[in-house]
Amino acid sequence: MLRRVLTRESRLAARAATAAAREARRLRARCARSALRVLPVATIEELVVQDGVSLNVRVRLPRSAGPRPITVHLVLTRDGHEHSVRLHRDGPRSAATALNLATLAGPGPGRWLLHLRLRHVDGGASRHPVYGPPPRRPSGGPTRAAARCPDTGTGYVLGATTRGRTSLTLTPATPRAQVTRVVTGWDGVTVSGRLIAAGRPGPAVVEMVHRDGRTRLPVVLGEGRFTFTVPGEAIAAAPEWRFTLAVDGAPALPVGRYLDGLRRPDRSIRYPARLIHTAAGRPPLRVRPRYSARGRLLLTRSVPEETA
């Protein structure tokens, strides 16, 4: 009997807690709606990170801004740091710009809040918080939204705080060996790229890996970039190869295209197959660089039919 009473009481307590949480959410939503109605706030019309490099933004100005403020600036603030960029009027109550995200100098990764700074014809100035999450516009194209910066690897996440303030969060870069160029030459394939967040420079090695083994290749490093050449003799040993790069004893990084925002690099980037020559007396090889669905660089080879 006691167990039944305790079980019933625990169920009632759980229901009460659920109801209280639901009512709290409703109260927060009402407060947010009230703030949007009463406070002189600006609201987001468009906010998207383009190619991991620029922030395209369009905001709807508050009614209190008047018909013609002299200047409108978008201001991003975080931990005492401030960055502003001038917006250009593109409508009666809207303004827009494109912000170079590389200029956001601050104390490393973290969340920035957005507001507007208006200067009026009477010489006064006003600040207006920006509210609303960025509009979600799914794209059927080959790229993703909010891609990482291809130069630094920094990620940018658009969102809103629990009170509805628009935010831009910077996420740290992860170590990458990002390919920027692949050239198939007379007797080999040369791969160039950038090292992202790979730590201090030091001795480096590239390993070309296939199902039954691996081979080491020399690599040239300089100013955050790498270059290595895969000779035709090495390619001939297996039908498909993938690559890793290790710097100064750090964990090996898979070599590929990871920071372009491509949904399917294997479909978006196509290299032609070309003939390369190996040792004298051996038939040439048909070599095609390509990428996996996740962006890893692969080299495949075959013997042309007329020489097979």
Side-chain angles (χ1 to χ4, degrees), residues 10 58 60 102 110 245 255 299:
S10 62
R58 177 179 287 107
R60 186 170 182 81
L245 190 155
V255 177
L299 281 186

Side-chain angles (χ1 to χ4, degrees), residues 53-97:
V53 175
S54 66
L55 177 69
N56 295 348
V57 57
R58 177 179 287 107
V59 295
R60 186 170 182 81
L61 303 180
R63 292 184 182 277
S64 60
R68 290 208 172 273
I70 296 178
T71 59
V72 181
H73 283 81
L74 176 70
V75 183
L76 295 91
T77 57
R78 173 179 174 238
D79 297 337
H81 291 74
E82 184 176 288
H83 184 89
S84 67
V85 59
R86 184 167 180 172
L87 302 183
H88 303 282
R89 298 292 293 270
D90 64 349
R93 285 189 57 206
S94 63
T97 193

Side-chain angles (χ1 to χ4, degrees), residues 44-255:
I44 287 293
E45 290 186 344
E46 180 181 353
L47 188 66
V48 63
V49 175
Q50 188 73 27
D51 299 329
V53 175
S54 66
L55 177 69
N56 295 348
V57 57
R58 177 179 287 107
V59 295
R60 186 170 182 81
L61 303 180
R63 292 184 182 277
S64 60
R68 290 208 172 273
I70 296 178
T71 59
V72 181
H73 283 81
L74 176 70
V75 183
L76 295 91
T77 57
R78 173 179 174 238
D79 297 337
H81 291 74
E82 184 176 288
H83 184 89
S84 67
V85 59
R86 184 167 180 172
L87 302 183
H88 303 282
R89 298 292 293 270
D90 64 349
R93 285 189 57 206
S94 63
T97 193
L99 168 65
N100 181 3
L101 290 168
T103 61
L104 277 180
R111 185 171 66 183
W112 296 77
L113 296 179
L114 281 64
H115 68 266
L116 295 185
R117 180 188 296 145
L118 277 61
R119 189 167 296 279
H120 303 273
V121 292
D122 61 1
S126 58
R127 292 166 65 97
H128 306 270
V130 178
Y131 273 77
R136 294 190 177 184
R137 298 178 180 175
S139 171
T143 59
R144 306 185 192 95
R148 289 184 173 271
C149 175
D151 295 322
T152 65
T154 303
Y156 303 96
V157 180
L158 301 169
T161 67
T162 55
R163 295 189 176 184
R165 288 284 302 274
T166 305
S167 65
L168 171 67
T169 301
L170 277 62
T171 60
T174 55
R176 299 286 190 186
Q178 171 77 1
V179 174
T180 57
R181 191 180 185 196
V182 179
V183 178
T184 303
W186 174 260
D187 58 355
V189 178
T190 300
V191 179
S192 303
R194 288 190 302 272
L195 284 172
I196 306 294
R200 65 180 187 277
V205 64
V206 167
E207 284 194 338
M208 50 188 302
V209 184
H210 66 95
R211 181 177 300 178
D212 301 319
R214 58 187 62 219
T215 301
R216 288 194 167 193
L217 299 173
V219 58
V220 177
L221 298 182
E223 298 182 354
R225 296 183 174 271
F226 65 86
T227 301
F228 64 90
T229 298
V230 189
E233 299 291 341
I235 299 173
E240 183 175 273
W241 295 92
R242 60 187 186 276
F243 303 88
T244 63
L245 190 155
V247 180
D248 198 21
L253 305 175
V255 177

